[in-house]
Amino acid sequence: MATDLMDRLKILADGAKYDVSCSSSGSSRANSNGGIGSAASTGICHTWTSDGRCVSLLKILMTNRCIYDCAYCINRRSNDVQRVTLSPAEVAELTIGFYRRNYIEGLFLSTGVVRSADYTMELLIQAVRTLREQYRFNGYIHLKLVPGADPLLVQQAGLWADRVSVNLELPTRESLQLLAPDKSRDAVIQPMRQVSNLIVTNRAERKQSRKVPSFAPAGQSTQLIVGATGESDRQIVTLSEQLYQRLDLKRVYYSAFIPTVADTRLPARPEAPLRREHRLYQADWLLRYYGFSAHELLDEASPNLDSELDPKTGWALRHLELFPLEINRASYEELLRVPGVGVRSAQRIIQARRQGHLGIDDLTRLGIVMKRARYFITARGRYVGEIKLENSSLRSRLVDGPKQKRPVQLSLDLEQPVVDETASLITGEL
Amino acid sequence: MNCQYCYDGTLAGLLTLYARLLAERAVVERISVTPLDQQSLFNSEISISADQAVAETFWQRLTKRLSDNSLKLLRRCLLADHPQQELLIYHYLLLEAEQGRKIDGMLAHPQVAPVWKLSQQVAREAHRYLGFVRFQQLQGGLYYATIAPDHRILLLIGAHFAERFSDQQWVIHDQRHGEGILYDAEKKEWLLLPMEVTAQPDLTPEEAQFQELWRSYFSTLAIPERTNLKLQQGKVPLKTRSCLIEFTV
Ligand code: SF4
C-alpha cells in the first residue's frame, strides 16, 4: 500500500462525492455466517464532513475512465483529467480495512463506463462478490447499475448488494437527450423497471421460503440533477411521486447542479441552487412521510416552490380555513400538517393527550417547537399566535430568517423519525 | 425531618435505597454518593448501605411491574452521568407507585418529563457512539478503541459491536468512566470491566497506513463551496474529536 493507492483513492472519492445518496438505512442483514459485519436497519453516521454531511459509506468510483460524454459530468470523455482505476480486489481490501476499524457502515460503489456497459457491470459485481464470499462481509453495499447492462447482470447485482440504483439524472427525455446523448431514457428506465419487478417477485418468494436469497433488500433509489435544465419543481416533484408510487423507489435524491465543467449546453450558474435543492428535499419528505401529494404542494398557478417558505408552511398559508387546529382533538394526520410539527412531535402529542387535555405549557414540556406551530394551533381552546390568522401578516413572520439561509442536506438523522434507534441495543439486566 | 440521603455509588446501593424510600413514600430533597471515609457523625445525611438481597428483590419486582417502555427509560437513566439522576429517578418511581402503567402516557408530567429527557440524551449519545468508535489494530491482533462519552453508554452499545465484529478480538475503553468492554471472539462473549490505561499501545504498520488512507479520504469528501463548520460542530462536538482518527493528526 503506497502513496499511489492514496492518490487513486483521492481521485476516485472526489469523483463520487457529488452523488448525494448517503443513506445506509433500510436494510438489516444479520451476521449469520460467522463473518464480519451487519447492516443496521436505521443507518449510522460515522462522522460529518466540514460541509455538514453525514459520512456512513466508503463512497468511491471503481474508475473515472469513461467512454461517454455527459455534459454535466467531470469524468466525461472529453474532459482532460487524470484517469485511475482500482481493481476489484483493491476495492474489497479497502472496504474491509475501513469497516474493521468502524470508519464506515459499508460501501457505495459507482463507476465510469469502460469498454462496455456489461464489462463494467461485471467488474463491479466482482468487487462485491469478493467482499461477500471471500471476506464473508455482511455490511451494507450500495451498487450502481450501469445503464444498458444486460438484465442478467442486473439481477446478479441485486443478489449481492443491499441497494441498487440507476441515476435518472435528468427529469425528462429531452434533457437527457440534450446533455447525455450516449444514454437513452430507456437504457435508464429499463433496469429500474426490472429491479422494481424483481424486488416484488423476490418479496413474494421469500414469504414462501426464507431460503430464497434476498434481492436488493434495501430497495432501489435514484438521483436527479436539478437546475442543469429548465424543468419546474412541479415536474420534478410529480416525477418523484410517480417513482415512489409506480416503481416503489426507496429514495429520490436531488443534486443541485453546480457546474464543474464548461459546456455551451449548460446554463450559467443558476440562482441559489442549494436552496432549491433544500426545498425539493422538504417537498419530497412531505410526500413520503406526511401524506401530502404532489398536486397539493404545486400546481399550474404556482409551479415552483416558494424559496422563502418551507413547502408545508406554504401549503398551510394557502389553506388557512383549516386552522387553527385544536391539538386535543386533531387526528394524527391533521397534526402532521401543522407547520413545525414533525412525526415525533405528532406522536408525542397523541401519546400525551391520552392522560388528559394538553395546554400550551404542556406542549413546550413535550419538546414541541412552537416557533411556527403557535400560529396554527389552539390548546384547550387557547390561541397564542397573538396575531390574526391571515395570510399577509403571517407570511412575514414565517419566512426563513437569515439564520437559516444556509441550506443543509437532509441527513440520516431525519431518516429515523419513527423508530427508536436504540430499541434493539438495550442489553439484558443491569 | 431529614430529607437528604446518600449511598455508596453502586447500583445495588441505589436500589436498596429506593426500596427503603418507596416503602414509606419518603419525601426526599437530595440523594448523593458519599465515599465511606467522608461519612462522619456530623453528617446530616442519612446513609444507607447496600443490601444485595433487597436490591435484587426490588429490581425483580420492578421489572415485572414496569412496561417495556418505562423499563427502557429507567435503564438509560441509571446509566446517565447527571448530578441529579438519582433524585429524578426516585420521583419517577414514586409517581409510578401511585399511577402504575398510566405514567407511560404522562410525558408532560413534571415527575416524568425530566427523566424522559435524560433518557433521550443517553439514548442519543449511545446511538452516536455506534458511529464514533474508532478501532486501532494493535500488535498481536487486538482492535482497541477509546471513547470519552458523557454518559456510561457501554452497556447500551456492546451488543451492536459484538454482533458486527464477532470474528475480531476487540476492546472499547471508556476513559472518562474508567471502564471498558472486552470482547472474546472465541467464546463470542463480552464483559464490562473496570479499565485503566497503562502504556501507549503498539500499532501495527498496516494500522498507520489505514489511518492515513482514512484521513485523506475524509478530507477529500468535503465540498468547499458548502463549508458549514457550525453544522459540523453540532454533529461532531469538539469534545468527541480527540478519539476520532479523522480529526487528529
Ligand atoms: S456515463 Fe457516468 S461517468 Fe460517464 S460521463 Fe456520463 S455521468 Fe460521467
Side-chain angles (χ1 to χ4, degrees):
Chain A
M1 213 171 359
T3 41
D4 158 62
L5 178 59
M6 184 109 77
D7 292 342
R8 283 185 288 151
L9 177 62
K10 270 190 163 165
I11 292 172
L12 295 171
D14 201 51
K17 75 181 179 190
Y18 290 95
D19 211 311
V20 289
S21 157
C22 72
S23 145
S24 68
S25 61
S27 193
S28 67
R29 187 183 285 269
N31 180 345
S32 49
N33 54 4
I36 176 179
S38 54
S41 60
T42 47
I44 296 169
C45 289
H46 287 248
T47 190
W48 276 266
T49 58
S50 59
D51 49 294
R53 278 171 313 134
C54 153
V55 179
S56 68
L57 303 173
L58 168 61
K59 196 191 280 187
I60 44 171
L61 303 175
M62 181 148 228
T63 179
N64 65 344
R65 290 171 216 279
C66 193
I67 54 174
Y68 292 157
D69 206 30
C70 307
Y72 47 81
C73 178
I74 190 164
N75 301 322
R76 57 194 281 207
R77 184 180 61 218
S78 57
N79 200 26
D80 183 20
V81 292
Q82 192 189 348
R83 308 284 173 169
V84 292
T85 303
L86 286 172
S87 70
E90 284 172 323
V91 170
E93 205 192 323
L94 260 176
T95 309
I96 287 291
F98 279 9
Y99 195 82
R100 283 211 179 278
R101 288 163 178 78
N102 203 44
Y103 298 164
I104 52 169
E105 282 298 286
L107 172 68
F108 175 107
L109 188 59
S110 182
T111 187
V113 184
V114 277
R115 272 194 235 174
S116 68
D118 284 353
Y119 178 79
T120 314
M121 197 67 240
E122 275 171 17
L123 282 180
L124 294 184
I125 291 174
Q126 204 187 324
V128 178
R129 235 183 118 160
T130 310
L131 274 169
R132 293 281 194 231
E133 289 192 330
Q134 195 175 318
Y135 291 100
R136 289 190 294 170
F137 175 70
N138 297 301
Y140 184 87
I141 299 179
H142 180 148
L143 201 58
K144 282 273 160 200
L145 300 177
V146 184
D150 191 289
L152 273 175
L153 292 175
V154 170
Q155 183 173 10
Q156 266 195 39
L159 287 174
W160 298 114
D162 291 278
R163 173 172 287 181
V164 292
S165 64
V166 197
N167 283 358
L168 204 48
E169 306 289 24
L170 296 165
T172 59
R173 193 178 286 275
E174 294 71 38
S175 318
L176 199 65
Q177 175 67 40
L178 175 69
L179 296 185
D182 312 299
K183 286 186 199 159
S184 74
R185 174 90 159 178
D186 295 332
V188 175
I189 293 281
Q190 211 286 322
M192 283 174 91
R193 281 233 171 78
Q194 188 197 350
V195 168
S196 160
N197 291 336
L198 284 169
I199 289 175
V200 173
T201 333
N202 181 257
R203 225 179 269 148
E205 283 171 4
R206 278 173 61 81
K207 274 217 185 95
Q208 304 288 320
S209 155
R210 296 300 288 175
K211 284 203 194 101
V212 177
S214 61
F215 180 90
Q220 69 169 325
S221 62
T222 194
Q223 167 170 298
L224 288 170
I225 298 173
V226 176
T229 44
E231 288 83 7
S232 68
D233 289 347
R234 179 168 173 241
Q235 276 174 296
I236 293 169
V237 175
T238 309
L239 173 65
S240 298
E241 185 174 55
Q242 287 170 353
L243 290 169
Y244 288 131
Q245 286 174 357
R246 300 216 190 122
L247 292 183
D248 199 23
L249 258 73
K250 276 286 174 326
R251 287 284 314 258
V252 176
Y253 292 93
Y254 308 89
S255 177
F257 175 68
I258 298 171
T260 45
V261 283
D263 189 300
T264 47
R265 289 168 290 176
L266 294 173
R269 195 184 164 86
E271 227 175 288
L274 294 178
R275 166 151 301 207
R276 183 172 181 207
E277 176 190 299
H278 180 57
R279 293 289 179 227
L280 282 168
Y281 271 113
Q282 290 181 317
D284 185 88
W285 220 257
L286 295 179
L287 292 185
R288 290 184 301 136
Y289 292 117
Y290 289 79
F292 281 88
S293 50
H295 69 83
E296 285 180 292
L297 300 172
L298 296 152
D299 52 32
E300 254 167 77
S302 43
N304 287 305
L305 294 166
D306 194 327
S307 73
E308 290 184 326
L309 286 175
D310 72 87
K312 201 210 262 186
T313 306
W315 172 85
L317 286 180
R318 291 194 298 276
H319 293 89
L320 286 179
E321 72 280 3
L322 302 173
F323 298 101
L325 203 61
E326 170 55 44
I327 50 135
N328 287 298
R329 276 195 307 271
S331 68
Y332 175 68
E333 290 73 21
E334 286 170 327
L335 285 173
L336 279 183
R337 290 187 169 227
V338 175
V341 174
V343 172
R344 271 178 214 245
S345 300
Q347 285 173 342
R348 236 172 262 164
I349 291 172
I350 299 268
Q351 198 190 0
R353 76 185 184 190
R354 283 192 205 124
Q355 301 303 329
H357 277 196
L358 302 173
I360 291 287
D361 296 343
D362 292 325
L363 291 180
T364 326
R365 226 172 286 140
L366 286 175
I368 313 291
V369 185
M370 296 295 284
K371 192 173 149 245
R372 272 152 212 276
R374 55 199 283 235
Y375 302 111
F376 299 94
I377 56 170
T378 58
R380 293 203 196 109
R382 196 165 145 238
Y383 180 70
V384 289
E386 285 165 1
I387 56 165
K388 241 172 76 197
L389 203 56
E390 60 186 25
N391 196 325
S392 53
S393 46
L394 265 182
R395 191 186 154 90
S396 61
R397 297 202 179 201
L398 289 166
V399 295
D400 284 349
K403 255 183 89 184
Q404 274 143 323
K405 229 174 200 151
R406 193 160 247 155
V408 295
Q409 190 199 337
L410 293 170
S411 61
L412 271 176
D413 36 333
L414 287 167
E415 186 108 29
Q416 310 153 352
V418 198
V419 277
D420 181 348
E421 64 274 14
T422 36
S424 58
L425 297 172
I426 308 299
T427 54
E429 301 286 305
L430 267 168
Chain B
M1 198 177 58
N2 197 314
C3 313
Q4 308 194 348
Y5 296 82
C6 63
Y7 71 110
D8 59 4
T10 65
L11 182 63
L14 184 60
L15 294 177
T16 311
L17 179 61
Y18 285 152
R20 300 264 153 84
L21 296 176
L22 284 168
E24 34 188 285
R25 299 269 199 277
V27 178
V28 179
E29 265 172 22
R30 205 166 83 121
I31 301 178
S32 55
V33 175
T34 311
L36 283 173
D37 57 356
Q38 275 173 36
Q39 291 179 0
S40 73
L41 276 175
F42 307 105
N43 204 324
S44 64
E45 292 173 328
I46 300 172
S47 162
I48 303 261
S49 49
D51 182 328
Q52 197 66 35
V54 174
E56 268 171 35
T57 330
F58 175 72
W59 182 250
Q60 268 163 18
R61 280 220 196 105
L62 205 58
T63 46
K64 277 204 199 97
R65 276 174 64 97
L66 295 182
S67 70
D68 290 353
N69 263 336
S70 338
L71 201 56
K72 199 156 71 183
L73 180 133
L74 187 62
R75 283 210 177 103
R76 289 171 181 169
C77 289
L78 286 168
L79 292 173
D81 189 340
H82 179 280
Q84 285 199 310
Q85 75 202 60
E86 291 94 345
L87 190 62
L88 294 177
I89 297 172
Y90 177 65
H91 285 147
Y92 178 78
L93 291 175
L94 208 53
L95 185 68
E96 193 276 338
E98 271 167 36
Q99 303 281 341
R101 294 201 169 190
K102 264 203 272 169
I103 52 162
D104 273 12
M106 302 168 78
L107 285 183
H109 193 284
Q111 275 163 266
V112 179
V115 185
W116 180 76
K117 206 172 127 203
L118 184 60
S119 101
Q120 292 288 308
Q121 281 167 8
V122 176
R124 214 170 299 131
E125 184 175 54
H127 181 73
R128 187 184 260 176
Y129 269 92
L130 298 182
F132 281 0
V133 166
R134 295 284 176 270
F135 290 112
Q136 311 196 49
Q137 194 187 30
L138 307 189
Q139 298 284 5
L142 180 74
Y143 283 84
Y144 173 77
T146 54
I147 57 174
D150 290 343
H151 304 290
R152 296 176 50 208
I153 51 151
L154 282 173
L155 280 173
L156 301 177
I157 64 174
H160 168 85
F161 287 99
E163 149 127 6
R164 178 159 294 194
F165 302 109
S166 72
D167 67 341
Q168 116 189 7
Q169 205 75 29
W170 54 262
V171 164
I172 303 175
H173 181 181
D174 177 349
Q175 291 193 320
R176 211 169 109 95
H177 301 98
E179 55 189 18
I181 291 180
L182 172 74
Y183 176 78
D184 182 335
E186 266 180 18
K187 296 204 201 115
K188 308 262 175 236
E189 277 173 5
W190 55 279
L191 268 179
L192 185 73
L193 302 166
M195 216 174 262
E196 259 179 75
V197 230
T198 44
Q200 200 65 8
D202 260 343
L203 306 181
T204 59
E206 194 189 290
E207 176 58 35
Q209 283 173 331
F210 269 111
Q211 293 192 4
E212 273 314 301
L213 282 168
W214 173 242
R215 282 194 198 100
S216 96
Y217 172 71
F218 176 71
S219 60
T220 311
L221 288 182
I223 298 177
E225 297 89 335
R226 300 188 183 194
T227 300
N228 187 347
L229 293 179
K230 228 168 144 193
L231 181 59
Q232 185 190 32
Q233 233 180 74
K235 299 294 191 181
V236 192
L238 296 176
K239 62 182 177 201
T240 63
R241 296 189 181 179
S242 63
C243 300
L244 295 173
I245 304 291
E246 64 275 21
F247 288 99
T248 57
V249 213

